[in-house]
Amino acid sequence: MSFNNQRVLPAVRKIKDLEKLLTSPFQYIVLLDCHIGMLKSLVDLAKSHGKKPLLHVDLVEGLKNDEYATEYLCQYIKPTGLISTRASVIMKTKENGLLAIQRLFLLDSSALRKSYTLLERTKPDYIEVLPGVMPHIIKEVGEATGIPIVAGGLIRTVSDVENALEAGAMAVTTSDSSLWKHYQA
């Protein structure tokens, strides 16, 4: 399972950045910091340009990130997939047949241990490891879980992207448009 060999997943915070990506070669894009009232139009716009939007549920303003909201997103908004830190969101996303990406903030060894327990329960399609500038942790989590890894957070340079990919990440999420330009080919 991969993102059609797309190594960078542009993470969009502003509508003008989404508009720029509509004509880019990127197929998968991540929508961040959206308002609930704009979700449907943003997802539909992206899809009308052949994009596969991944929606970060935890960052949608005006939406409680619970199972009911997840049902609404899956059945009405219909993005390609959902990203969340919440187990209930990931499990409901999988029930609805959308791509489920479990976001993990790996701040210390305790968080890492708790994450392994969580992943046994949620069984996401992908894990987004944050911060993504820890190649040895990316490798460890990938080997321990067998679940494909996406690296995100604090990815600032081409070297950061390459190190994450070399450590086993399938792709890297970043809101840094200079990295989008570098990896457009």
Side-chain angles (χ1 to χ4, degrees):
M1 184 184 293
S2 72
F3 296 100
N4 293 341
N5 297 317
Q6 186 176 319
R7 299 168 67 190
V8 167
L9 305 176
V12 177
R13 293 188 185 278
K14 298 175 182 165
I15 294 173
K16 68 177 183 166
D17 288 333
L18 174 60
E19 290 170 348
K20 290 176 192 174
L21 288 170
L22 293 176
T23 58
S24 78
F26 292 113
Q27 186 176 19
Y28 289 86
I29 56 174
V30 178
L31 300 177
L32 307 170
D33 300 331
C34 300
H35 182 276
I36 189 170
M38 299 184 71
L39 280 180
K40 182 80 172 141
S41 61
L42 292 176
V43 168
D44 288 350
L45 177 65
K47 289 169 86 175
S48 74
H49 284 82
K51 305 305 176 189
K52 295 188 176 187
L54 304 169
L55 180 60
H56 194 303
V57 179
D58 303 349
L59 300 178
V60 176
E61 293 180 38
L63 183 74
K64 183 176 180 183
N65 58 350
D66 61 11
E67 292 180 41
Y68 300 108
T70 305
E71 285 282 344
Y72 169 78
L73 293 171
C74 292
Q75 295 177 11
Y76 178 69
I77 304 298
K78 299 179 183 177
T80 300
L82 299 178
I83 303 168
S84 181
T85 59
R86 298 181 54 88
S88 62
V89 170
I90 296 303
M91 293 187 297
K92 187 57 75 173
T93 301
K94 287 189 62 94
E95 281 178 29
N96 279 276
L98 271 66
L99 195 65
I101 303 173
Q102 178 82 57
R103 188 176 232 205
L104 302 176
F105 291 99
L106 300 178
L107 305 173
D108 57 25
S109 295
S110 176
L112 182 59
R113 280 191 304 278
K114 290 176 184 174
S115 293
Y116 287 143
T117 302
L118 173 73
L119 293 167
E120 287 176 22
R121 199 165 44 108
T122 61
K123 297 180 178 20
D125 298 305
Y126 288 90
I127 302 165
E128 184 182 24
V129 172
L130 286 93
V133 290
M134 302 183 303
H136 63 289
I137 298 298
I138 292 168
K139 183 176 181 171
E140 178 184 328
V141 172
E143 288 174 353
T145 65
I147 300 170
I149 304 294
V150 175
L154 300 176
I155 304 288
R156 298 179 185 161
T157 66
V158 170
S159 179
D160 291 338
V161 173
E162 294 301 323
N163 289 337
L165 295 171
E166 287 172 20
M170 300 289 294
V172 173
T173 59
T174 181
S175 58
D176 187 326
S177 61
S178 68
L179 292 174
W180 304 348
K181 289 175 188 164
H182 183 82
Y183 287 94
Q184 275 191 345

